[in-house]
Amino acid sequence: GVWMSRSIDGGRSWEPNRLIYTDPTCPCCRTSVAVAGDGTMYVAWRAILTGDVRDVVVTRSTDGGRTWAEPVRVRSDDWIYPGCPHAGPSLEVDAKGDVHVAWWTGKEGEAGVYYARSADGGKSFVAQAIATGETARPAHVQLAVSGQRVYVAWDDGLGEVPRVLLRRSADGGKSFSPEELLSDPGVAASYPVLALHGDSVAVAWSQTTAAEHRKKLASMVDMKDPKAVMPLPRVGQSEILMRTGAS
């Protein structure tokens, strides 16, 4: 399930933990939380639906987390997968109260990164593809929103070696620019994060050599096995990069 706790004194004390969703939830895909200007709280996660469908849902609370609306699927991906892809959604709310979600799905023929926006407080979503193909490795997607500007960054799972890419919107998520390559050629770049300040955009990610990435793929365990353990990477093989730009 999905749990939450809230502090109303700057983190000095916390309210009791609350269970906000009791049905099965993908345990390794991170949850995401955002709060609107009017105090409405939103939480997104990858739910385990009937038939082992693993789609992203969003719920909202208008009373400080005491009660929650029925979760809404941001898109009917209908991706059936008896395992955990380790790829959760990214969630943001803009100043108007529009809800923005970006995520990855592995459904064959429609695999890749998607974005959806809700203009009615998370009751319904309009989705569009960001980067998709027949098949794709799990991508780790990040959103950042400021005014009408929406940025989506992800590590590309469509090619042999992951690259950090970015697309941006100047109209609140209705349309997006072509993808921009941020990481250098010949390296395996993954796990991007985004930050905005004024008209500046910062993207940071981790990267390793393409050869080390291939070794990691060759030794990867089958995550469909509930007893599988994901090994840690070798110390000293990765580094952190950051790139900044203007909007």
Side-chain angles (χ1 to χ4, degrees), residues 11-232:
R12 290 186 291 273
S13 64
W14 291 84
E15 297 175 352
N17 294 343
R18 295 173 181 164
L19 182 63
I20 67 176
Y21 184 73
T22 59
D23 290 347
T25 305
C26 205
C28 301
C29 292
R30 66 176 183 273
T31 57
S32 188
V33 62
V35 181
D38 64 359
T40 301
M41 303 170 66
Y42 296 91
V43 179
W45 65 91
R46 189 181 298 279
I48 303 176
L49 307 175
T50 302
D52 232 341
V53 170
R54 307 220 171 190
D55 284 359
V56 170
V57 299
V58 172
T59 184
R60 73 184 187 282
S61 172
T62 58
D63 57 9
R66 288 183 290 276
T67 61
W68 293 85
E70 185 71 19
V72 174
R73 275 200 279 185
V74 295
R75 179 179 181 269
S76 294
D77 294 340
D78 295 321
W79 179 43
I80 300 173
Y81 184 71
C84 193
H86 293 254
S90 183
L91 178 68
E92 294 283 345
V93 182
D94 65 27
K96 296 191 305 178
D98 288 356
V99 184
H100 306 260
V101 189
W103 73 99
W104 173 87
T105 181
K107 184 178 181 180
E108 189 171 346
E110 303 176 11
V113 176
Y114 288 83
Y115 160 86
R117 181 175 64 94
S118 172
D120 58 8
K123 298 174 185 176
S124 63
F125 288 85
V126 176
Q128 59 180 292
I130 294 294
T132 60
E134 285 296 312
T135 60
R137 290 187 310 276
H140 307 94
V141 191
Q142 287 284 290
L143 267 177
V145 179
S146 177
Q148 287 290 96
R149 295 181 294 142
V150 181
Y151 298 85
V152 181
W154 70 99
D155 44 9
D156 178 32
L158 297 174
E160 180 186 6
V161 176
R163 308 169 299 159
V164 169
L165 301 171
L166 181 138
R167 292 185 69 182
R168 50 200 169 98
S169 171
D171 56 12
K174 297 181 179 67
S175 62
F176 282 84
S177 66
E179 64 186 32
E180 302 173 54
L181 176 62
L182 300 185
S183 56
D184 294 328
V187 300
S190 56
Y191 298 99
V193 291
L194 274 169
L196 301 179
H197 180 70
D199 62 355
S200 297
V201 187
V203 185
W205 63 88
S206 62
Q207 71 178 38
T208 186
T209 65
E212 185 65 24
H213 173 72
R214 293 187 183 98
K215 288 181 183 178
K216 179 181 176 182
L217 289 181
S219 63
M220 186 171 290
V221 298
D222 182 4
M223 293 313 296
K224 292 182 180 180
D225 180 359
K227 296 181 181 179
V229 176
M230 184 74 76
L232 292 173

